[in-house]
Amino acid sequence: TTNMSGLLNSSIGRKFAMALSALFLMIFLLQHFAINSLSVFSPSAFNEASHFMGTFWAVQYLLQPVLIFGVIFHFVMGFVLEIQNKKARNVKYASNSNGSNSSWVSRNMIWSGLAILAFMALHFIDFWIPEINIKYVQGDMSGLLDPNVADSGYRYYEELVHKFENPIRVGAYVVAFVFLILHLLHGFDSAFQSVGANNNYTKALKRFSKIYAIGIPLGFVLIALFHHFTGH
């Protein structure tokens, strides 16, 4: 405990912890995208995967709390580091006007982070809170459209398509993932630097980070647009 406290009290330690939480969230984002993409190719497979993730005890009682902690930790640590960075900048450098030493994205990570946080709040309201209500308040763990009809089929795909009918919600979804692209483009690089995986930064690592930072959020956008415009 003392070692952990000492780690988080140092600037390097906080950056390292921030990077580890970011990498953890990136892995979750990839898994989330993999399941969501099933909704485009196979509604039944999406329903099966969603039901498994929503009812398997290890996911619900172990991974879900860890994920929530990881999200909170990452954003709190981000705010702490931003405050530290502002305190360290007693004067405005000329680079902030010409971007020679830092990019616009790196100087505005806090704003892209806030935009993503706002989207996550909407996402929780849209999906997570209704799920908690159905499963743990109403006590319906069946996942069925009609829990009284055994062959009514799972409800997850129908709920997803319904959410993407609203153009305002889809627009917010698209804007949020554009911010996520910007956030990841800088965040991915910083995460590898902080965990010491950036020695002689390779072309392959750069390529992979850009593919992930642009490809995964863009994939989420395409899924939302697909369901919005096709209605299924």
Side-chain angles (χ1 to χ4, degrees), residues 1 8 17 20 29 31-32 42-43 77 82 89 93 109 113 116 128 146 156 167 187 192 197 206 228 231:
T1 304
L8 294 178
L20 287 181
L29 191 67
Q31 170 263 323
H32 195 40
S42 175
M77 196 60 61
E82 178 67 15
R89 294 193 295 263
Y93 296 100
M109 284 290 281
I116 296 166
W128 190 74
D146 185 346
Y156 309 102
F192 278 114
K206 283 185 178 180
H228 177 69

Side-chain angles (χ1 to χ4, degrees), residues 15-64:
K15 289 181 179 179
F16 185 80
M18 179 77 168
L20 287 181
S21 65
L23 289 173
F24 168 73
L25 294 176
M26 288 173 188
I27 293 172
F28 163 75
L29 191 67
L30 184 62
Q31 170 263 323
H32 195 40
F33 170 72
I35 293 177
N36 278 20
S37 64
L38 292 175
S39 67
V40 174
F41 304 104
S42 175
S44 61
F46 173 77
N47 274 330
E48 291 291 343
S50 297
H51 186 65
F52 172 79
M53 296 297 290
T55 56
F56 185 50
W57 68 268
V59 174
Q60 291 296 296
Y61 303 116
L62 294 179
L63 295 182
Q64 188 167 255

